Amino acid sequence: MDEPQRARRPGGRSARVRAAVHQAVTELVGERGYSGFTVGEIAARAGVADTSIYRRWGNLENLLADVTNARLTARSPMPDTGSLSGDLHTYAANVAREITGPDGPAVLRLTIALSDMDEQGLRARDDFLAERSRQLQSMLDRAAERGEDPPDALDVLDHVMAPMYIRVLLGIGALTPDYIDGLVDRLLS
Amino acid sequence: MDEPQRARRPGGRSARVRAAVHQAVTELVGERGYSGFTVGEIAARAGVADTSIYRRWGNLENLLADVTNARLTARSPMPDTGSLSGDLHTYAANVAREITGPDGPAVLRLTIALSDMDEQGLRARDDFLAERSRQLQSMLDRAAERGEDPPDALDVLDHVMAPMYIRVLLGIGALTPDYIDGLVDRLLS
């Protein structure tokens, strides 16, 4: 009897399951890191059946990637300030806030955990990174359409994101506003 | 009866225990990552008593840092080519070879694992990084003594090591010789 009901109220039960599962995963990641729990534990905490999780996400790896992506997209949308410089400065500041916040460098920890799992983990990692890349590339494409000369997405990764990630991961050096702005200015110069 | 014997043959039994323990840790890290085993498992594989490990290293964190440092120092000694540019190009190529080799980005994975442990882990991480920094700083100091104008060690971290680490961790972009040389040339320009 579930299916017809769900079809009549799109976003009803389905959205509640998604929200409960996302919340359970977020809590478990906070408590145990990205590789310290099973689908069964997520299901128990969310109050849903294991099969509901497998039907919707296929495997644990895809679920972890989906949850992390949803949190990042909600909390750090790509900026659209009208200029390349404005977009990159805002983007860099958002990334810095995100990776020094309560979740820490979630993107990087997730990708490392997925890489250590198996083939499904690597596929989930690559899909996840492709989605983040696509968002960044859209921002750079808007600059090109305005007649600006944007850097490659890989240059943004190498010279803006990578230094911030490594400083946070190694616990070396602070991400001050001057430091972050300096990374972007250096890339654009 | 052990102690007087050890005192008479420094490096004998003591060196054998160290080698056996290092070998056991290296194998276990390869099989399970940095946080997948205990001191008891290391001791059993090395054929030594748990107490021998605690007496020498104090805790698992210090032992992990010691093993990683010993491997890196043996396999990637700091270059001394006579010029800053030569040293940095050689150093960057060594780091690239190391992080794409069989151990992968061992420094980074170790520091991440130690950060996730506890206060002892953070102390071991900071001691470990201080030692690696000291080695890099010596190389830069030699350049200054020759009258060259070396960058700060943190700039080397930000613009040479960080991009390579992040590319390897995310599985994005290749570390070609041209790419690696470009990172160093950009830093020195």
Side-chain angles (χ1 to χ4, degrees):
Chain A
M1 298 298 289
D2 252 338
E3 292 304 318
Q5 267 211 334
R6 198 164 65 193
R8 279 203 307 273
R9 293 185 298 124
R13 188 181 120 77
S14 175
R16 284 197 304 277
V17 167
R18 181 168 188 273
V21 169
H22 273 226
Q23 178 62 27
V25 170
T26 300
E27 290 173 11
L28 286 164
V29 167
E31 290 164 21
R32 308 186 199 169
Y34 278 100
S35 48
F37 52 88
T38 63
V39 167
E41 290 172 294
I42 297 164
R45 190 174 294 214
V48 305
D50 290 19
T51 48
S52 300
I53 292 178
Y54 286 113
R55 195 164 51 226
R56 181 185 290 234
W57 285 280
N59 54 47
L60 177 59
E61 291 83 351
N62 289 334
L63 170 55
L64 291 171
D66 182 40
V67 170
T68 303
N69 224 341
R71 287 174 68 80
L72 287 172
T73 302
R75 300 197 326 199
S76 288
M78 287 286 158
D80 187 3
T81 64
S83 79
L84 173 65
S85 172
D87 282 358
L88 281 174
H89 280 283
T90 304
Y91 177 62
N94 287 350
V95 170
R97 193 196 61 221
E98 193 65 43
I99 65 182
T100 55
D103 281 357
V107 172
L108 201 50
R109 284 173 182 269
L110 170 68
T111 58
I112 293 168
L114 291 175
S115 311
D116 286 341
M117 290 178 183
D118 54 12
E119 281 302 311
Q120 288 186 322
L122 287 175
R123 266 199 302 276
R125 178 194 76 175
D126 291 343
D127 290 348
F128 171 74
L129 293 173
E131 170 58 22
R132 296 295 295 169
S133 271
R134 196 192 56 70
Q135 294 176 14
L136 173 60
Q137 190 61 55
S138 299
M139 190 176 86
L140 299 173
D141 288 346
R142 282 199 305 272
E145 284 158 18
R146 284 190 303 261
E148 297 190 88
D149 182 25
D152 288 344
L154 265 181
D155 285 330
V156 178
L157 177 73
D158 280 345
H159 295 291
V160 177
M161 292 153 81
M164 295 197 292
Y165 276 129
I166 290 296
R167 284 183 170 220
V168 169
L169 284 175
L170 302 189
I172 291 178
L175 302 190
T176 63
D178 279 355
Y179 169 73
I180 300 164
D181 286 338
L183 292 175
V184 173
D185 291 339
R186 185 186 161 113
L187 177 66
L188 293 178
S189 71
Chain B
M1 298 299 289
D2 253 340
E3 293 303 318
Q5 267 211 333
R6 198 164 65 195
R8 279 202 307 274
R9 293 184 300 125
R13 189 181 121 75
S14 175
R16 285 196 303 277
V17 167
R18 181 168 189 274
V21 168
H22 273 228
Q23 179 61 29
V25 169
T26 299
E27 290 173 12
L28 286 163
V29 167
E31 290 164 20
R32 309 186 199 168
Y34 278 100
S35 46
F37 52 88
T38 63
V39 167
E41 290 172 294
I42 297 165
R45 189 173 293 215
V48 306
D50 290 21
T51 48
S52 298
I53 291 178
Y54 286 115
R55 196 165 51 227
R56 182 186 290 234
W57 285 280
N59 54 49
L60 176 60
E61 291 83 352
N62 289 334
L63 171 54
L64 290 171
D66 183 39
V67 171
T68 304
N69 223 340
R71 287 173 69 79
L72 288 172
T73 302
R75 302 199 323 202
S76 289
M78 286 286 157
D80 188 4
T81 64
S83 79
L84 174 64
S85 172
D87 282 359
L88 282 174
H89 279 283
T90 304
Y91 176 63
N94 287 350
V95 170
R97 192 196 62 222
E98 193 66 42
I99 65 182
T100 55
D103 282 358
V107 172
L108 202 51
R109 284 173 183 268
L110 170 68
T111 59
I112 292 168
L114 290 175
S115 310
D116 285 341
M117 289 177 182
D118 54 11
E119 281 301 312
Q120 289 186 321
L122 287 174
R123 266 200 302 277
R125 178 194 76 176
D126 292 342
D127 290 348
F128 171 75
L129 293 173
E131 171 59 22
R132 295 295 295 170
S133 271
R134 194 192 57 68
Q135 294 176 13
L136 174 60
Q137 190 61 56
S138 297
M139 190 177 86
L140 300 173
D141 288 347
R142 283 198 306 272
E145 283 157 18
R146 286 191 301 261
E148 297 190 87
D149 183 26
D152 288 344
L154 264 181
D155 286 329
V156 179
L157 178 73
D158 280 344
H159 295 290
V160 177
M161 291 153 80
M164 296 196 290
Y165 276 129
I166 290 297
R167 284 182 170 220
V168 169
L169 284 174
L170 302 189
I172 292 178
L175 302 190
T176 63
D178 279 356
Y179 169 73
I180 299 164
D181 286 338
L183 292 174
V184 173
D185 291 339
R186 183 185 162 116
L187 176 67
L188 293 178
S189 72

